[in-house]
Amino acid sequence: QVQLVESGGGLVQAGGSLRLSCAASGHTLSSYATGWFRQAPGKEREFVAAISLNGGSTYYADSVKGRFTISRDNAKNTVYLQMSSLKPEDTAVYYCAADNGPVRLMRVTGAPIDYWGQGTQVTVSS
């Protein structure tokens, strides 16, 4: 069992930056592909970014490509999401996820995910 705890959310102006962290406990995070998803009010949860076990492969949603960067520090059992050039449409609850399967499948809408964090709110004001 893996417990995931997100932090780093908050209120930021458009054009600003935030860094989200996801700390894992209960099992080493290096055994899992990890990713970030988000859910805006009234919308479905959507994929944001994912990273492979050793960090060698990363995937991004088109809407965040070039603005967001996912990274991981397996020694600290932590995954990060650096968000820059934030837009009001980035406002959402951001969730960390970890999965035993191939990292590329985390992009697939509706793909089962083994573990979820509780989420952290990101609000971008215009």
Side-chain angles (χ1 to χ4, degrees):
Q1 191 79 2
V2 178
Q3 292 78 44
L4 303 172
V5 178
E6 303 95 334
S7 61
L11 174 64
V12 63
Q13 287 190 330
S17 299
L18 279 175
R19 188 176 81 155
L20 305 183
S21 299
C22 172
S25 62
H27 203 280
T28 176
L29 199 56
S30 61
S31 299
Y32 299 90
T34 58
W36 290 92
F37 294 73
R38 67 187 182 186
Q39 187 168 18
K43 295 189 176 181
E44 299 278 325
R45 187 178 298 185
E46 64 175 4
F47 168 79
V48 174
I51 188 166
S52 60
L53 274 65
N54 63 2
S57 297
T58 56
Y59 299 87
Y60 296 94
D62 288 344
S63 58
V64 307
K65 206 169 290 184
R67 300 188 298 122
F68 290 11
T69 302
I70 188 170
S71 61
R72 66 191 301 160
D73 185 337
N74 286 338
K76 294 183 178 180
N77 237 20
T78 302
V79 176
Y80 305 97
L81 184 68
Q82 178 68 48
M83 305 186 294
S84 303
S85 302
L86 283 161
K87 305 175 182 180
E89 50 264 43
D90 294 318
T91 295
V93 177
Y94 283 70
Y95 297 90
C96 179
D99 194 76
N100 268 309
V103 61
R104 65 184 183 277
L105 293 184
M106 296 189 87
R107 299 176 295 174
V108 178
T109 301
I113 299 293
D114 290 326
Y115 302 104
W116 292 98
Q118 84 290 348
T120 185
Q121 176 71 45
V122 172
T123 303
V124 184
S125 63
S126 57

